[in-house]
Amino acid sequence: MKKSLEDSAEKGYERLESRGVSRRDFLKLCSLSCVAFGLDLSVAPKMADAAAAKLMKKPVIWMQGQGCTGCSSSLLSSINPGPEKLLLELLSVRFHPTIMAAAGEQAVQSWEECVAEGNYLLVLEGSIPTRDPRFCTVEGQPFGELFKKAAANADLVIAAGSCACYGGIPRAGITGAVGAQDALKDTKVLNLPSCPVKPDRLISTILYYLGHNELPRLDNDGRPVAYYRYVLHDSCHRRLHYERGEFLSDWNDPKTSDWCLYNKGCKGKETFTNCSSYWWNDGVSYCGAVGSPCSGCSQPKFYEEFSPLFANPEEVK
Ligand code: SF4
Ligand code: SF4
C-alpha cells in the first residue's frame, strides 16, 4: 500500500515537473497550506506525497451559474506558483464552460460522462436562480437541476466566490439567486467567499482535502476557519489611524490617503477575512492597500446589506 502511494506520488511529481512545477515548489505550496491551516510543518512532505498522488487523477467539474466569470478570471490571472497551472493543467478538469476546448454537445457529453463516473470535485462559480429556472439554463436545461445532479455524485462541493456561496450580487436582483448550500440543503458545501474567489485559498483547501481526505475546520457559514477567523479590522494597516480618530474624507488629499476608510464605507469591522494579513496575488496588494474600502465581500449578507458600498456603515444602518 505504502509502495503504491510512493509510486503514484512519484508519477505525480514527474508530471508536475513536466508542466514546470518543481517538487520544491509543490512542497512549498503544501507548506503554505499547512501554515494556513495551523498544522505542524513536519506534516507537509506527507501531505505533498498524498496530494501529488491524487492530483493527477482527481477529476474536476467547474460549473458557472449566474455570475460574471470573475472567479475564473481571478484564478487564471494568479501568479507563482500558479494555482491556475495546478487546477487547470494538473487536476483533470473535465468540464469548464469558459476554458474548455469542447463546445455544445461535445461539452455536455463530457459533463455527463464525468457525472456518471462520480468521485470528482464539483466547483460552483456564480449563483443559482430559484424564481424561474429560465433565468439560467445550459443547453435548454435549468442550471439548478444540472447542478443538483452533479452534486449528488461529487466527493466534495466547493462554492468558489460570494455568488456561489450565498448568492452574492445576483441575490440583490430579481432572480431569487441562492448559493450552493441553500440549493442543496442536505449536502455539505465548502464555502470560499470573496468577490472574486481568492486563488490561494482555493488551491490550498483542495491540497488540504486531497492530502488529508477530510475538510479543514469550518465556521458556521461553511468557511474554513483558517481564512475567516478574524475581522479585517483586527490586522488592518490603517488601524492606528482609526484609533486616533483619523478618517479619510477627501480622496484627493495626499496627506490623508493612508487614513482609516471607515467614513468612506469600509466594512472591515464586520467582515471576517484574512485579506489584510495575506495579501492577494502573491502578496502584491489588497483592497485597503490601494485605497478601496472593504465592501464586506466575504460575508453572507454581501451585497445588499452592505450597500451603498462607499457610505459610512453607520449611515447605512
Ligand atoms: S480602513 Fe476599515 S478595516 Fe481598516 S482600520 Fe479603518 S475601518 Fe478598520
Ligand atoms: S478586503 Fe474586503 S472587499 Fe476586499 S477582497 Fe477582502 S473581504 Fe473582499
Side-chain angles (χ1 to χ4, degrees):
M1 185 71 176
K2 191 168 175 244
K3 181 86 180 84
S4 81
L5 175 67
E6 280 169 9
D7 288 347
S8 308
E10 279 311 315
K11 279 189 194 135
Y13 287 127
E14 277 168 26
R15 177 105 182 264
L16 283 165
E17 295 270 1
S18 73
R19 301 297 179 102
V21 180
S22 70
R23 186 185 286 235
R24 179 185 287 259
D25 284 344
F26 190 65
L27 189 58
K28 203 164 88 183
L29 196 63
C30 289
S31 303
L32 287 173
S33 179
C34 284
V35 170
F37 289 109
L39 300 173
D40 194 292
L41 273 181
S42 61
V43 179
K46 267 194 192 159
M47 181 175 161
D49 283 356
K54 288 184 195 156
L55 205 55
M56 316 316 305
K57 301 175 194 157
K58 201 71 191 168
V60 175
I61 294 182
W62 185 296
M63 295 182 73
Q64 291 177 316
Q66 296 181 125
C68 63
T69 314
C71 290
S72 288
S73 194
S74 171
L75 192 66
L76 290 165
S77 309
S78 57
I79 41 182
N80 282 329
E84 90 291 357
K85 205 170 241 181
L86 289 162
L87 270 182
L88 305 178
E89 291 184 22
L90 303 168
L91 286 167
S92 174
V93 180
R94 302 271 295 273
F95 184 86
H96 189 306
T98 309
I99 58 163
M100 70 191 298
E105 280 174 16
Q106 255 186 335
V108 173
Q109 193 185 345
S110 171
W111 181 89
E112 282 170 349
E113 282 171 8
C114 193
V115 169
E117 287 162 25
N119 300 323
Y120 45 82
L121 300 178
L122 175 63
V123 181
L124 174 68
E125 173 180 3
S127 62
I128 300 160
T130 56
R131 227 160 256 161
D132 188 327
R134 286 173 297 181
F135 281 125
C136 188
T137 60
V138 178
E139 289 278 299
Q141 299 184 61
F143 178 80
E145 295 307 315
L146 293 173
F147 175 67
K148 282 179 195 163
K149 196 171 164 191
N153 282 359
D155 272 359
L156 175 65
V157 180
I158 303 173
S162 308
C163 303
C165 296
Y166 314 117
I169 290 177
R171 200 181 60 196
I174 58 163
T175 63
V178 297
Q181 64 181 18
D182 284 338
L184 298 173
K185 302 246 183 321
D186 297 331
T187 306
K188 185 126 186 134
V189 174
L190 171 74
N191 286 329
L192 295 173
S194 58
C195 184
V197 71
K198 202 162 181 259
D200 55 352
R201 283 181 193 153
L202 180 61
I203 192 63
S204 287
T205 312
I206 289 178
L207 285 175
Y208 182 97
Y209 177 73
L210 294 178
H212 292 83
N213 258 337
E214 61 178 18
L215 286 175
R217 189 154 72 89
L218 305 182
D219 67 12
N220 291 339
D221 294 310
R223 306 173 291 192
V225 170
Y227 300 132
Y228 302 91
R229 187 193 304 243
Y230 303 111
V231 288
L232 181 77
H233 188 64
D234 285 353
S235 54
C236 177
H237 67 290
R238 294 171 188 262
R239 177 68 182 265
L240 190 61
H241 294 291
Y242 175 89
E243 300 299 340
R244 285 178 182 161
E246 295 172 345
F247 300 102
L248 185 141
S249 59
D250 179 1
W251 294 109
N252 296 316
D253 179 1
K255 287 197 205 107
T256 60
S257 62
D258 60 347
W259 284 13
C260 172
L261 299 168
Y262 189 72
N263 286 345
K264 287 294 183 189
C266 182
K267 315 293 188 301
K269 286 171 75 180
E270 49 199 316
T271 301
F272 289 83
T273 179
N274 67 351
C275 293
S276 51
S277 30
Y278 289 91
W279 289 15
W280 284 62
N281 302 336
D282 246 11
V284 172
S285 197
Y286 85 103
C287 305
V290 292
S292 176
C294 172
S295 57
C297 76
S298 62
Q299 286 303 105
K301 299 295 180 200
F302 173 81
Y303 155 87
E304 74 272 36
E305 291 197 13
F306 290 116
S307 61
L309 297 183
F310 297 103
N312 179 312
E314 295 303 320
E315 288 167 15
V316 173
K317 276 179 193 132

